[in-house]
Amino acid sequence: MNGAQSLIRTLVDSGVEVCFANPGTSEMHFVAALDSVPEMRGVLGLFEGVVTGAADGYARIAGKPAATLLHLGPGLGNGLANLHNARRGYTPIVNIVGDHATYHKKYDAPLESDIPAIASSLQGWVRESDSTKDVGADAAAAVAASMDPPGRVATLVLPADISWGDGGTAVAPIPPRKPQAVAASKVSAVADALRSGEQVALLVGGPACREAGLRAVSRIAAATGAKPLIETFPARLERGAGLPAIERLGYLAEQASYQLSGVKHLVVAGAKSPVSFFAYPGKPSDLVPDGAQVHTLAELDQDVVGALEALADEVAAGVEPVLQEPQRPALPSGPLSAQNWVEVIGALLPERAIISDEANTSGLLLPAATAGAPRHDVLTLTGGAIGQGLPVATGAAVAAPDRPVIALQSDGSALYTISALWTQARENLDVTTVILNNSAYAILRMELQRVGAESGGPKANALLDLSRPDLDFAKIAEGMGVPATRATTAEELADQFKAAIAEPGPHLIDAVVPSMI
Amino acid sequence: MNGAQSLIRTLVDSGVEVCFANPGTSEMHFVAALDSVPEMRGVLGLFEGVVTGAADGYARIAGKPAATLLHLGPGLGNGLANLHNARRGYTPIVNIVGDHATYHKKYDAPLESDIPAIASSLQGWVRESDSTKDVGADAAAAVAASMDPPGRVATLVLPADISWGDGGTAVAPIPPRKPQAVAASKVSAVADALRSGEQVALLVGGPACREAGLRAVSRIAAATGAKPLIETFPARLERGAGLPAIERLGYLAEQASYQLSGVKHLVVAGAKSPVSFFAYPGKPSDLVPDGAQVHTLAELDQDVVGALEALADEVAAGVEPVLQEPQRPALPSGPLSAQNWVEVIGALLPERAIISDEANTSGLLLPAATAGAPRHDVLTLTGGAIGQGLPVATGAAVAAPDRPVIALQSDGSALYTISALWTQARENLDVTTVILNNSAYAILRMELQRVGAESGGPKANALLDLSRPDLDFAKIAEGMGVPATRATTAEELADQFKAAIAEPGPHLIDAVVPSMI
């Protein structure tokens, strides 16, 4: 078999069954080899940011990596923003980046590019295959590296001649390392803090955001009075009726400082000690309250859930978690607003939904409105690089074809990776996208004030404004093959949302929701 | 003044009058400062690839850089593909990349990213401003670096606290270096080759693709029988009636080898010695014919046009250039084809047009059909990273508001940076976009065969196919505020093209042109 065939065969044997691809000439042998390995599914994206974001969404739901196929440095560059988000979410991804043939690189042809420099910015795993016979081993190593706790982006650079050369061999999977157990002494030390009588907050993230971790956190909080908090942007948060309802640490430093005020011990497990998302003049970057002590129960590459369960057994033996009762808001009426659109979602969210949440400022009230909805997963904007929501929804739908995916997507952010809609149509994915169309980068209007910049100049405001002309997302979606409607009232949104989730395949609702800001 | 104000003031004093921007929180003081410097125009792009491609198109026409405003590593990443194209076209661009405040970086907040690694891949000029008082000097240095022959991408990283800090001062422009003169002995040596009696080809690029250079090349060819050729992907090529008509070296190695067959002396001026765009199994990368001698008349950072004129004076004294006669194809009729759509453009191209050409395979016959059209500029895909055409057209229209801009754009490539249409609508730019919609990555179908990959598998072909669903670019354009129509016959295309160029502002024609491949 040639190098490409050995690569794909090894990926499949290692559990990688989907390749989100945007190929070019240097990847043609990989493309041709897809037909020789029936187990590998190829999914075309029309822009690399769609490809990488979809791989991120896929892995968050599947619990294992997808591959991407990218075209040299420019292709990797186009995919970089959503790879940044994946890095911040510790999502395993295996990038295959095609490159010129090894002997061709010295000619500095137009697409010659510094792939290692670009890939190195992701601070993951990077390797260039330098012989066809080793491509299989390189692929197995890439998968293992991506899955090594806590997960990361692995990038394998595949020169065209290594891909087309003969002599490739498939290689057996390399079992990924297990997360390291947390020492009992560490658990006991945190237990002592919880029993100190001083105020404790317990901030958890990563794998602790799923049922087992949440139940342990809830037990600890119920038994000790510690305040439980979930990291601001979890990669995958399980929530809804029947699960503990734990609030997230606020995005705004002001919110987070309020949530943490009075705390003397901050226990972190699978999360970083909290810092401000951005710096603001005269405001602290470190959000740990003055005088508070930070206790790291479990690092992200450790067994976070095991440590939380051990802690719960020590401080909350016999105590049950507090579970959210089923509860939905009433269907609202009247013109759409930031207050009522979330009630529509809360009232109608289908069973077993996956929410891809990039609603940004429009979604401030979403958690409350959906807290008692049927159990669901929420995938958030882990790295702050906007343009993630539609691709992540796309990948999640590939991973879970039996679950409804709901993309709640602000307008400005949607435009970065809008062609994800086409891939949803191509693959007939059951994704309902609701665009929160407020004709503004509303978050930047808020930030302009928060950073203390002189505000209000017409040129500054023009750069934060998405009107002139207004974007018609229904037309854009239809142009990409996705049926679409436009809603301006809560009743319209409810009717359209019901219809969209009732019918398989992708749909888009362009919801005109005025900004709160 | 604060750092941002000193930066913008210095840019303006150095001749940088337009900033294509996609800002975020860390850039808010720069955004606010725009209102304090009236001479700087801010142009919003909804994706960074639009911003960087527009800066490229602007500079190719204006002959001086625009600034970009980008948001940390992910913003630079999104802009990287079109910066790669700018690098390959030697276009001067000044990137301003906002970063976290210097004191905030150690907290590794979610958007913390390795900006220098990403920027270094462009092999241009990179600096991080580390004090507010030096920002003005850094800006002047960035402009000078971008303009230093032959031109490059300069990236200035601007931490938020350096931007908002007080104590900035505007700095006077640094005059860019002039291109170095070519030694008379070099000109004489090339003249000897031209007089050798052996077959000579003269391959020119860069500044030689404008009138003065073309006239010198034509004179040399007329006097000596040398075969004149223009580099495959010139950044800006002047052509049409009244100018010498010189063919471009073919994109396909097979074409280029044919053009160069029999050549014993290859003289290059402002161009690289020809190499294959990609490597193909068993085919040479170096396209210089066996046994031919390469003579470099002028490197790109030298005075290329001066050297050609000196050479012309030596070997072609008194010889006039051969100029293209006015000549247009007749308006065709019938269903659109790869043969007849170019005749529509050739027949109707307006006076003083600027063509942004990313027609790829659909445009193979375009040069012949437009050779005798009124004098125009052609801006091509210099670096091979697709998704350049619409942004470059956008920037060119900002640079030349009095000239009609025609974007000839293949369908697959258009999707990478489609929101350029919104910026065209926002700025009311006179751009007529013709989408060559063949529902395929047609060039990859060709390349799949050329690389010798096994072709024809259904999974492979699905990744090269843009149907299922078909893209409706008219709807997409209307969704972004650009009036649009759809053409399936030559008559429809002619009528719609005439109407589009007659009315100011942006228009799009979705031309259904079946692939030749």
Side-chain angles (χ1 to χ4, degrees):
Chain A
M1 60 180 80
N2 68 19
Q5 289 165 332
S6 70
L7 170 55
I8 299 175
R9 169 49 60 195
T10 302
L11 290 175
V12 164
D13 291 347
S14 301
V16 179
E17 301 168 323
V18 177
C19 178
F20 296 97
N22 187 257
T25 298
S26 38
E27 291 73 58
M28 279 301 104
H29 284 84
F30 184 105
V31 169
L34 282 171
D35 284 290
S36 68
V37 186
E39 301 92 332
M40 179 65 85
R41 176 176 176 187
V43 176
L44 178 59
L46 303 187
F47 170 65
E48 294 88 346
V50 173
V51 164
T52 55
D56 186 0
Y58 175 92
R60 292 196 205 183
I61 294 299
K64 64 180 189 176
T68 69
L69 182 63
L70 305 170
H71 186 47
L72 301 109
L76 180 59
N78 279 337
L80 206 58
N82 275 333
L83 291 171
H84 169 88
N85 289 324
R87 167 167 91 91
R88 290 299 184 180
Y90 305 95
T91 305
I93 292 179
V94 176
N95 292 321
I96 309 297
V97 182
D99 196 3
H100 284 309
T102 51
Y103 61 82
H104 193 68
K105 292 182 71 66
K106 69 179 175 189
Y107 294 104
D108 196 35
L111 274 165
E112 178 62 30
S113 45
D114 191 349
I115 302 172
I118 302 168
S120 75
S121 74
L122 294 165
Q123 299 172 15
W125 179 97
V126 184
R127 184 182 293 179
E128 179 169 333
S129 283
D130 56 12
S131 83
T132 298
K133 70 176 171 45
D134 294 333
V135 169
D138 293 337
V143 177
S146 77
M147 296 285 283
D148 191 60
R152 64 184 52 69
V153 176
T155 301
L156 182 61
V157 181
L158 181 67
D161 54 337
I162 305 302
S163 177
W164 77 52
D166 281 325
T169 52
V171 168
I174 301 170
R177 282 196 311 151
K178 298 276 182 215
Q180 186 191 351
V182 169
S185 59
K186 171 65 79 176
V187 175
S188 294
V190 171
D192 290 343
L194 285 161
R195 294 183 187 116
S196 67
E198 295 184 313
Q199 195 169 341
V200 179
L202 175 53
L203 176 66
V204 303
C209 300
R210 299 185 62 185
E211 181 168 9
L214 298 174
R215 289 179 68 96
V217 170
S218 180
R219 290 171 62 205
I220 295 164
T224 67
K227 178 170 193 166
L229 289 165
I230 289 168
E231 63 183 337
T232 306
F233 291 113
R236 177 180 181 176
L237 171 61
E238 293 185 346
R239 64 194 299 272
L243 289 171
I246 300 175
E247 71 178 0
R248 283 158 58 187
L249 191 70
Y251 161 72
L252 301 176
E254 297 88 327
Q255 294 173 296
S257 295
Y258 175 77
Q259 290 170 302
L260 295 172
S261 63
V263 165
K264 298 297 179 197
H265 300 275
L266 177 61
V267 178
V268 293
K272 289 182 172 177
S273 181
V275 299
S276 179
F277 207 86
F278 291 105
Y280 301 93
K283 292 179 184 165
S285 292
D286 188 342
L287 299 181
V288 177
D290 283 347
Q293 188 180 350
V294 177
H295 308 260
T296 300
L297 173 64
E299 304 278 2
L300 254 163
D301 61 351
Q302 295 183 305
D303 180 3
V304 178
V305 173
L308 286 167
E309 288 177 331
L311 182 60
D313 290 344
E314 185 159 341
V315 301
V319 177
E320 289 296 311
V322 180
L323 304 182
Q324 172 72 46
E325 295 293 323
Q327 181 186 331
R328 288 178 182 266
L331 272 175
S333 63
L336 279 173
S337 68
Q339 286 75 31
N340 68 17
W341 81 267
V342 298
E343 296 170 351
V344 174
I345 304 302
L348 299 176
L349 192 72
E351 300 280 341
R352 304 185 67 235
I354 298 168
I355 295 178
S356 175
D357 178 8
E358 199 178 8
N360 300 348
T361 56
S362 294
L364 287 175
L365 304 176
L366 183 69
T370 53
R375 184 172 163 155
H376 57 279
D377 287 276
V378 179
L379 315 181
T380 79
L381 181 56
T382 47
I386 59 177
Q388 176 201 265
L390 301 183
V392 158
T394 303
V398 170
D402 57 333
R403 297 180 64 183
V405 177
I406 314 295
L408 304 176
Q409 180 65 49
S410 44
D411 50 355
S413 303
L415 262 291
Y416 291 73
T417 48
I418 190 72
S419 72
L421 295 171
W422 182 89
T423 298
Q424 294 174 12
R426 159 68 70 98
E427 301 293 328
N428 194 32
L429 303 176
D430 193 16
V431 181
T432 298
T433 297
V434 181
I435 299 286
L436 293 319
N437 189 339
N438 60 22
S439 298
Y441 286 130
I443 198 164
L444 295 184
R445 288 191 180 157
M446 180 180 72
E447 295 286 21
L448 185 66
Q449 298 164 20
R450 292 181 71 227
V451 300
E454 303 155 32
S455 65
K459 287 162 71 179
N461 282 322
L463 292 189
L464 313 183
D465 170 66
L466 302 180
S467 68
R468 300 183 299 112
D470 283 322
L471 288 152
D472 183 334
F473 283 92
K475 277 194 175 161
I476 294 170
E478 287 173 356
M480 295 189 182
V482 170
T485 53
R486 188 173 177 90
T488 60
T489 67
E491 291 89 338
E492 287 170 357
L493 178 59
D495 288 347
Q496 293 170 15
F497 190 77
K498 277 188 259 188
I501 61 178
E503 183 177 75
H507 297 82
L508 180 140
I509 302 167
D510 188 8
V512 181
V513 177
S515 171
M516 284 198 294
I517 295 154
Chain B
M1 61 180 78
N2 68 20
Q5 289 164 332
S6 70
L7 170 54
I8 300 176
R9 169 49 59 196
T10 302
L11 289 175
V12 164
D13 291 349
S14 301
V16 180
E17 300 168 323
V18 176
C19 177
F20 295 98
N22 187 257
T25 298
S26 38
E27 292 72 59
M28 279 301 104
H29 286 85
F30 184 104
V31 169
L34 282 171
D35 284 290
S36 68
V37 186
E39 301 92 333
M40 179 64 85
R41 176 176 176 186
V43 176
L44 178 59
L46 302 188
F47 169 65
E48 294 88 346
V50 173
V51 164
T52 55
D56 185 0
Y58 175 92
R60 292 195 204 183
I61 294 299
K64 63 180 189 175
T68 69
L69 182 63
L70 304 170
H71 186 46
L72 301 108
L76 179 60
N78 278 336
L80 206 59
N82 275 333
L83 291 172
H84 169 88
N85 288 324
R87 168 167 92 90
R88 289 299 184 183
Y90 305 95
T91 306
I93 291 180
V94 177
N95 292 320
I96 309 296
V97 182
D99 196 3
H100 284 310
T102 51
Y103 61 82
H104 192 69
K105 291 181 72 66
K106 67 179 176 188
Y107 295 104
D108 195 36
L111 275 164
E112 178 62 28
S113 44
D114 191 350
I115 302 172
I118 302 169
S120 75
S121 74
L122 293 165
Q123 299 172 16
W125 179 98
V126 184
R127 183 182 294 181
E128 178 170 331
S129 282
D130 56 12
S131 82
T132 298
K133 70 176 173 41
D134 294 332
V135 169
D138 293 337
V143 178
S146 78
M147 296 285 283
D148 192 58
R152 64 184 51 70
V153 176
T155 301
L156 182 60
V157 181
L158 181 66
D161 55 335
I162 306 301
S163 178
W164 77 51
D166 280 326
T169 51
V171 167
I174 301 170
R177 284 195 310 151
K178 299 273 183 218
Q180 186 192 349
V182 169
S185 58
K186 170 68 74 177
V187 174
S188 294
V190 171
D192 290 344
L194 285 162
R195 294 183 187 116
S196 66
E198 297 184 311
Q199 194 169 341
V200 180
L202 175 54
L203 175 66
V204 303
C209 300
R210 300 185 61 185
E211 182 167 11
L214 299 172
R215 291 179 67 96
V217 170
S218 181
R219 289 172 59 206
I220 296 164
T224 67
K227 178 169 193 167
L229 289 165
I230 289 169
E231 62 182 338
T232 307
F233 291 113
R236 178 179 181 175
L237 171 61
E238 292 185 346
R239 64 194 298 271
L243 288 170
I246 300 175
E247 70 178 358
R248 283 157 58 185
L249 191 70
Y251 161 72
L252 301 176
E254 297 89 329
Q255 294 173 296
S257 295
Y258 176 77
Q259 290 170 302
L260 294 172
S261 61
V263 165
K264 298 295 180 198
H265 300 273
L266 176 61
V267 178
V268 294
K272 289 182 172 177
S273 181
V275 299
S276 179
F277 206 86
F278 291 105
Y280 301 93
K283 293 180 184 166
S285 293
D286 187 342
L287 300 181
V288 176
D290 283 346
Q293 187 180 353
V294 177
H295 308 258
T296 300
L297 174 64
E299 303 279 1
L300 253 162
D301 61 350
Q302 295 184 304
D303 180 5
V304 177
V305 174
L308 286 166
E309 288 177 331
L311 181 61
D313 288 346
E314 185 158 342
V315 301
V319 178
E320 289 297 310
V322 180
L323 305 182
Q324 171 70 47
E325 296 292 323
Q327 180 185 334
R328 288 177 182 266
L331 271 175
S333 63
L336 279 173
S337 69
Q339 286 74 29
N340 68 17
W341 81 266
V342 299
E343 295 170 352
V344 175
I345 304 301
L348 299 176
L349 192 73
E351 300 280 340
R352 304 186 66 237
I354 298 168
I355 294 178
S356 175
D357 178 8
E358 199 178 9
N360 301 347
T361 55
S362 293
L364 287 175
L365 304 176
L366 183 70
T370 52
R375 180 172 166 154
H376 58 279
D377 287 276
V378 178
L379 315 181
T380 80
L381 182 56
T382 47
I386 58 176
Q388 177 200 265
L390 301 182
V392 158
T394 303
V398 170
D402 57 332
R403 297 180 63 182
V405 177
I406 313 295
L408 305 175
Q409 180 65 48
S410 45
D411 50 355
S413 303
L415 262 292
Y416 291 72
T417 47
I418 191 72
S419 72
L421 295 171
W422 183 88
T423 299
Q424 294 174 12
R426 160 67 72 94
E427 302 292 328
N428 195 32
L429 302 176
D430 193 15
V431 181
T432 297
T433 298
V434 180
I435 299 286
L436 292 320
N437 189 340
N438 59 23
S439 298
Y441 287 129
I443 198 164
L444 295 184
R445 287 190 181 158
M446 180 179 72
E447 295 286 22
L448 184 67
Q449 298 164 22
R450 292 180 72 226
V451 301
E454 303 156 34
S455 65
K459 289 163 72 181
N461 282 323
L463 294 187
L464 314 182
D465 170 66
L466 301 179
S467 68
R468 301 181 299 113
D470 284 321
L471 288 152
D472 183 334
F473 283 93
K475 277 193 174 163
I476 294 170
E478 288 172 355
M480 295 187 182
V482 170
T485 53
R486 188 173 178 91
T488 59
T489 67
E491 292 88 340
E492 287 170 356
L493 178 60
D495 288 347
Q496 293 169 16
F497 190 78
K498 276 188 255 187
I501 60 179
E503 183 178 75
H507 296 81
L508 180 139
I509 302 168
D510 188 9
V512 181
V513 178
S515 172
M516 282 198 295
I517 295 155

